[in-house]
Amino acid sequence: MFKKKNKRHPLDTNQQEISTIIGEGYTFTGEIQGSSVIRIEGQIIGNVNVDGGVILGEKGNIEGDITTKSLIIYGTVNGHVKTTQLEIKKTGYVNGDITTDILEIELGAQYNGKLNTQRQQILKEAS
């Protein structure tokens, strides 16, 4: 009689325009900071702090911590992840702690570390 609606929060990173691309074969050493969406297909050695969102391509590799609003991982992350929305695709791998509100993991994706989701706490505070 009553059906519970599936309230899915799609990741909005795919809907936004990508302003920066670090291509396959490129290595960037240092901290990346920005406000719009970035796609990384190469290697980053350093922390990534992007307000808008990050898409890490299948051959992309980040050796550092990531802080962003929305993150989609097809590649490899060796560092901690702090985001509001996280999607780890089947080719994705995270070696580090994850802090997120919304998490989606495809079958085959891997992560090694602690997982901290705040969604339940937010829902309790809203009641």
Side-chain angles (χ1 to χ4, degrees):
M1 184 171 159
F2 295 101
K3 290 186 179 179
K4 189 173 184 179
K5 289 185 178 179
N6 183 6
K7 290 187 177 181
R8 185 163 180 209
H9 300 279
L11 297 180
D12 59 1
T13 303
N14 282 329
Q15 306 302 320
Q16 295 180 15
E17 183 176 327
I18 297 170
S19 67
T20 305
I21 298 175
I22 297 178
E24 185 179 342
Y26 284 86
T27 300
F28 179 88
T29 303
E31 186 170 320
I32 293 180
Q33 292 185 341
S35 58
S36 57
V37 178
I38 182 172
R39 182 173 184 96
I40 300 169
E41 296 289 342
Q43 181 176 14
I44 305 297
I45 302 170
N47 296 334
V48 177
N49 298 303
V50 177
D51 295 334
V54 176
I55 301 171
L56 181 62
E58 214 172 301
K59 295 190 179 181
N61 184 9
I62 297 176
E63 301 286 331
D65 298 339
I66 303 172
T67 304
T68 188
K69 176 183 169 188
S70 180
L71 175 60
I72 301 174
I73 299 173
Y74 292 89
T76 302
V77 176
N78 284 300
H80 302 304
V81 172
K82 185 174 182 182
T83 184
T84 303
Q85 301 175 21
L86 174 61
E87 187 174 336
I88 306 174
K89 298 297 189 177
K90 65 182 177 182
T91 56
Y93 176 75
V94 177
N95 184 29
D97 296 344
I98 296 172
T99 302
T100 187
D101 296 340
I102 301 168
L103 175 64
E104 183 176 320
I105 302 175
E106 282 188 357
L107 184 63
Q110 299 177 32
Y111 80 88
N112 180 27
K114 295 179 184 176
L115 174 62
N116 182 15
T117 58
Q118 298 295 318
R119 188 84 176 139
Q120 293 296 339
Q121 183 178 356
I122 291 169
L123 292 175
K124 288 178 184 176
E125 290 172 1
S127 300

